[in-house]
């Protein structure tokens, strides 16, 4: 008998009009690489997107756009289970159970909550934002995920998820797999082009700091060419002394597969301008087909919705079994039909 494949699970929120190059290099690209070796579950955490200010008129469109971008980037909705969180009600149901075994103090220590609630102000911060990490734990535990590839910023949420799984199992009986975080490599962090010590983000200060996967590649090329570089002239990777050039080298290397050492050698004695002109071309070549494919997929929203509905069905087949098992262990009166 062959051992079952390990399951991985991850997701990116539909909180902007487009994913950016940081999301692609730091997350989606690595998910695409992993989906053939693992039993993969990818989803769009739209219930998480409404824990902060959001535009009701934009949510559905942004959710479809993220879905199209995942597929255009190489997530295969047949091979992987691919769906929208709000289509699988078990997420909210298990989150409630987890809320009831999470300490108030424990949730208060989550740094993302502290940061976001400080930004929103005490009155604007909601119970939903407070419960963000337990909903995330539910996302993971429902599918008995072994590995969760996420950025460093999510490490604490993963630690909470592990604690909750162990606590539930000890208190009510063994239901959940205790997942491991796979913190994606530090080199996977892409920085803001205008402020190369801050991460490239959907909410950065300058629009020129981020490359949006859906924008006109000509604009992306301009942004690369106007990226802030460092004092000196040498093209060399040194994250501390040369954060701007190092960031460009990381992007160049990940998009072409050429090592940073090889690029340093190729650009020895050349000027920053050479690097930027060449990288702008690399970025345009990368973005153009991705953008075209995304737009093609968006032209047929019914097909996209069909793929997502099929994904939600597959997801529910797993999630409903885990939830029923958890309810059973807790002693709820069995529901008819379960
Ligand atoms: P943003 O800060 O841009 O709003 P995010 O981190 O809040 O993004 P998601 O959209 O859910 O939230 O992120 C999806 C994935 O992309 C996460 O795994 C996150 O770690 C990763 N990611 C986001 N920005 C970068 C970046 N600049 N470099 C590398 N990975 C990133
Ligand atoms: N919080 C994550 C998004 C997210 C997620 C998850 C990631 C929600 N649920 C479950 C992995 C597993 C983020 O902000 N990147």
């Amino acid at each position: 008998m062959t051992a079952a494949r390990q399951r991985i699970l991850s997701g990116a929120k539909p909180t902007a009009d487009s994913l950016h190059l940081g999301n692609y290099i730091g997350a989606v690209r690595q998910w695409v690489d992993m989906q053939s070796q693992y039993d993969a579950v990818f989803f769009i955490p739209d219930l998480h997107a409404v824990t902060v200010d959001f535009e009701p008129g934009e949510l559905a469109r942004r959710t479809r756009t993220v879905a199209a971008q995942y597929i255009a980037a190489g997530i295969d909705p047949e091979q992987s289970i691919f769906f929208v969180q709000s289509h699988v009600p078990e997420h909210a149901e298990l989150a409630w159970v987890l809320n009831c075994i999470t300490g108030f103090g424990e949730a208060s220590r989550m740094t993302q909550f502290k940061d976001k609630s400080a930004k929103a102000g005490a009155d604007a911060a909601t119970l939903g934002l407070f419960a963000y990490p337990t909903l995330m734990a539910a996302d993971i535990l429902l599918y008995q995920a072994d590995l969760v590839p996420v950025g460093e910023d999510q490490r604490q949420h993963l630690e909470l998820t592990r604690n909750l799984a162990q606590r539930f199992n000890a208190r009510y009986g063994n239901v959940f797999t205790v997942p491991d975080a796979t913190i994606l490599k530090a080199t996977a962090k892409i920085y803001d082009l205008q402020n190369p010590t801050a991460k490239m983000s959907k909410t950065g200060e300058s629009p020129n700091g981020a490359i949006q996967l859906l924008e006109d590649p000509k604009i992306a090329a301009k942004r690369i060419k106007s990226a802030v570089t460092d004092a000196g002239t040498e093209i060399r990777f040194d994250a501390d002394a040369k954060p701007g050039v190092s960031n460009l080298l990381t992007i160049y290397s990940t998009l072409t597969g050429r090592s940073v050492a090889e690029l340093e050698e190729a650009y020895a004695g050349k000027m920053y301008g050479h690097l930027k002109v060449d990288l702008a071309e690399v970025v345009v070549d990368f973005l153009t087909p991705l953008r075209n494919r995304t737009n093609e997929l968006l032209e047929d929203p019914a097909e996209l919705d069909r793929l997502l509905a099929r994904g939600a069905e597959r997801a529910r087949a797993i999630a409903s079994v885990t939830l029923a098992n958890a309810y059973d262990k807790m002693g709820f009166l069995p529901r008819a039909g379960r």
Side-chain angles (χ1 to χ4, degrees):
M1 203 176 90
T2 53
R5 290 197 304 175
Q6 286 199 306
R7 176 166 290 155
I8 60 165
L9 174 142
S10 203
K13 291 182 297 264
T15 46
D17 287 332
S18 173
L19 296 177
H20 56 70
L21 198 58
N23 297 137
Y24 175 78
I25 293 177
V28 182
R29 182 181 62 103
Q30 314 205 33
W31 303 345
V32 171
D33 286 348
M34 292 171 117
Q35 71 182 342
S36 56
Q37 298 151 23
Y38 293 94
D39 177 6
V41 179
F42 300 115
F43 73 107
I44 304 175
D46 56 347
L47 297 172
H48 278 113
V50 303
T51 58
V52 289
D53 240 355
F54 74 104
E55 205 45 71
E58 299 286 342
L59 187 58
R61 189 175 56 80
R62 287 181 166 175
T63 302
R64 282 203 191 97
T65 305
V66 176
Q69 288 187 301
Y70 274 86
I71 297 173
I75 299 289
D76 177 347
E78 294 300 325
Q79 187 173 34
S80 300
I81 297 183
F82 178 52
F83 66 98
V84 174
Q85 188 185 31
S86 64
H87 293 177
V88 180
E90 285 79 1
H91 289 244
E93 291 183 79
L94 183 62
W96 179 258
V97 165
L98 297 177
N99 283 339
C100 296
I101 63 164
T102 304
F104 190 84
E106 189 176 30
S108 309
R109 285 192 291 276
M110 295 293 117
T111 54
Q112 182 176 300
F113 173 72
K114 288 197 261 183
D115 292 348
K116 289 201 176 175
S117 56
K119 253 192 223 163
D123 289 337
T126 62
L127 271 183
L129 185 65
F130 192 54
Y132 183 116
T134 45
L135 177 59
M136 179 163 164
D139 299 337
I140 297 166
L141 299 181
L142 276 176
Y143 301 92
Q144 311 287 17
D146 300 290
L147 295 174
V148 184
V150 284
E152 178 61 40
D153 57 333
Q154 298 299 314
R155 186 191 287 276
Q156 197 187 25
H157 290 162
L158 254 297
E159 211 33 62
L160 177 72
T161 304
R162 291 170 53 83
N163 289 338
L164 293 177
Q166 284 160 344
R167 189 174 306 160
F168 186 101
N169 289 347
R171 202 172 282 181
Y172 302 113
N174 216 353
V175 173
F176 300 119
T177 300
V178 180
D180 281 317
T182 309
I183 302 294
L184 300 165
K185 289 182 271 55
T187 47
K189 187 156 174 185
I190 301 301
Y191 294 88
D192 188 293
L193 296 172
Q194 291 301 316
N195 177 14
T197 51
K199 80 163 196 167
M200 184 179 286
S201 144
K202 292 182 195 120
T203 47
E205 267 167 34
S206 158
N208 281 329
I211 303 278
Q212 305 300 335
L213 299 183
L214 271 183
E215 72 193 350
D216 182 345
K218 281 198 215 86
I219 294 176
K222 275 200 193 128
R223 292 197 176 145
I224 293 286
K225 288 181 194 160
S226 61
V228 166
T229 35
D230 317 286
T233 53
E234 206 188 340
I235 297 178
R236 170 172 65 80
F237 190 95
D238 181 339
D240 294 324
K242 291 174 164 278
V245 171
S246 301
N247 190 36
L248 297 181
L249 285 170
T250 305
I251 297 173
Y252 202 142
S253 168
T254 42
L255 293 185
T256 58
R258 294 170 71 185
S259 70
V260 168
E262 188 187 333
L263 293 171
E264 284 175 333
E265 202 175 311
Y267 286 93
K270 295 196 178 158
M271 310 220 288
Y272 290 161
H274 287 121
L275 175 69
K276 288 185 182 176
V277 168
D278 292 352
L279 178 58
E281 202 178 304
V282 165
V283 167
V284 169
D285 288 349
F286 163 74
L287 287 181
T288 306
L290 187 63
R291 180 173 182 251
N292 292 344
R293 180 75 189 117
T294 305
N295 285 332
E296 247 171 56
L297 289 160
L298 287 172
E299 273 167 29
D300 191 353
E303 171 61 9
L304 214 47
D305 291 356
R306 193 193 64 76
L307 286 173
L308 292 171
R310 171 81 191 111
E313 239 175 73
R314 291 168 71 196
R316 279 200 90 174
I318 302 169
S320 61
V321 172
T322 313
L323 182 72
N325 196 4
Y327 273 14
D328 181 51
K329 289 277 195 301
M330 292 174 78
F332 283 112
L333 180 66
R335 216 190 283 185
R338 284 209 177 180

